């Protein structure tokens, strides 16, 4: 074995496929991590600088997320080494070459991820007859448009409320990253009475302790404006958003925004992780020590993949929303109950539960 296989363990990965298509210049990697529960669902990421090891880590995260969500699917991921900003026709050529290359890897179902979208998934589906995250016109449930992940985050917070003395009806919420996940999360939370007091996007950050006019803010975003130019509240340094006083803090942008050097500035009761890996392990330890409850990413942000799985099995939008609520509510309660009983971090409890489910599925093979 070569050193590239240094990351294999008792769960996987089952397949690591390197793809090169000289006709189009496609360079891609597909990792199918574990398929004990069923064919792997995992996104196709397009980025310039991607490695097999990164692809494996993302695939493993999908194995655990899908197991946690109780889906009949294992985890996988693929990466295409290319600039997602390239002209549409060239992008299409690469996507189609990728689809043809994975056509016979039947235990992998592609989905959208950074750099790919529902249009790309429609192209893949047309060629190989399988993909999730499809446009409505070809039978898909547009998960970003309906706010599948934001809906799941709101349910996760409802389920977490008894564990951290949270009254969602009066909660002040901070959202870091006001894209699909962030906007829908606060939309669903505001229906429960919560108010947005701090927000940021790549253009800047603002605070409004009395609560932003959410409809006006969402309208401004839909017209392409940054939250930074909104005419309510005050502009702040984006680095200071971490310290805004609130009950709920939602990272919904980049990895590692909560770190050992800034976690102790947080003045919140709960962090609901919308983004993937938004906090470092040391930061999560520190937050636990400061009585800040963290709902881990692969438990809280599973709404998107649950929606994709319901779509794949022919379910409707309302079935997807119900399944998301049902699975996430149950999982958050189980994770936080075990975390409290065993005096371990929510992430450690969640990892244990997800691993147990994967190993159990493997015992049936
Ligand atoms: P998006 O592109 O719609 O939104 C991202 C937002 O983050 C944008 O508003 C952008 O301006 C903002 N942003 C970027 N850099 C920032 C920075 N440094 N500071 C503050 N804001 C910044 O993406 P999305 O679909 O909302 O996904 C957000 C995160 O959630 C990603 O980490 C993604 O992997 C994760 N996630 C998304 C889904 C889903 O269903 N879309 C599911 C699970 C996890």
């Amino acid at each position: 074995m070569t050193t590239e296989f240094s990351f294999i363990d008792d769960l996987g990965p089952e397949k690591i496929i390197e793809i090169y298509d000289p006709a189009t210049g496609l360079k891609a990697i597909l990792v199918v991590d574990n398929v004990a529960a069923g064919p792997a669902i995992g996104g196709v990421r397009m980025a310039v600088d991607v490695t097999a090891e990164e692809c494996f880590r993302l695939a493993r995260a999908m194995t655990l997320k899908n197991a946690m969500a109780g889906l009949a699917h294992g985890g996988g991921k693929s990466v295409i080494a290319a600039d997602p900003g390239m002209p549409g026709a060239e992008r299409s050529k690469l996507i189609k070459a990728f689809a043809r290359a994975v056509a016979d890897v039947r235990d992998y179902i592609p989905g959208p991820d950074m750099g790919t979208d529902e249009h790309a998934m429609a192209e893949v589906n047309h060629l190989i007859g399988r993909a999730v995250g499809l446009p409505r016109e070809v039978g898909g449930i547009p998960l970003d448009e309906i706010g599948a992940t934001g809906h799941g985050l709101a349910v996760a917070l409802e389920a977490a409320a008894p564990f951290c003395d949270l009254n969602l009806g009066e909660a002040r919420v901070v959202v870091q990253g006001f894209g699909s996940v962030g906007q829908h999360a606060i939309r669903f939370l505001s229906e429960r009475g919560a108010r947005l007091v701090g927000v940021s996007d790549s253009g800047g950050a603002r605070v409004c302790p009395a609560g932003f006019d959410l409809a006006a803010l969402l309208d401004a975003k839909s017209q392409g404006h940054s939250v930074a130019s909104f005419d309510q509240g005050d502009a702040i340094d984006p680095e200071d958003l971490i310290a805004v006083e609130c009950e709920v803090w939602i990272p919904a942008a980049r990895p590692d925004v909560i770190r050992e050097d800034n976690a102790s500035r947080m003045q919140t009761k709960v962090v609901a992780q919308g983004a993937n890996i938004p906090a470092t392990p040391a930061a999560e330890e520190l937050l636990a020590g400061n009585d800040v409850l963290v709902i881990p990413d692969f438990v809280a942000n599973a709404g998107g993949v649950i929606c994709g799985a319901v779509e794949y099995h022919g379910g409707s939008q309302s079935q997807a929303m119900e399944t998301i609520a049902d699975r996430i509510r149950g999982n958050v309660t189980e994770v936080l109950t075990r975390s409290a009983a065993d005096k371990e971090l929510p992430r450690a409890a969640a990892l244990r539960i997800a691993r147990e489910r994967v190993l159990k599925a493997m015992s049936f093979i």
Side-chain angles (χ1 to χ4, degrees), residues 45 65 113-114 143-144 147-150 175-183 199-205 221 226 238 241 251-255 257 273-278 297 300-305:
R45 179 167 291 194
K65 189 185 285 197
D113 194 74
M114 275 167 51
L143 59 95
D144 276 337
T149 303
V175 175
Q176 197 241 8
F178 209 50
S180 170
V181 172
Q183 290 180 42
V199 65
S200 73
D201 60 19
S202 50
K221 271 304 275 188
S226 163
L241 195 72
R254 313 282 305 156
V257 295
Q273 298 189 335
N276 292 317
I277 47 167
D297 45 11
N301 74 16
V305 74

Side-chain angles (χ1 to χ4, degrees), residues 159-185:
F163 294 87
C164 58
D165 191 24
L166 173 70
N167 177 358
L168 259 192
E170 290 178 1
R172 294 166 298 172
V173 181
V174 170
V175 175
Q176 197 241 8
F178 209 50
S180 170
V181 172
Q183 290 180 42
H184 285 294

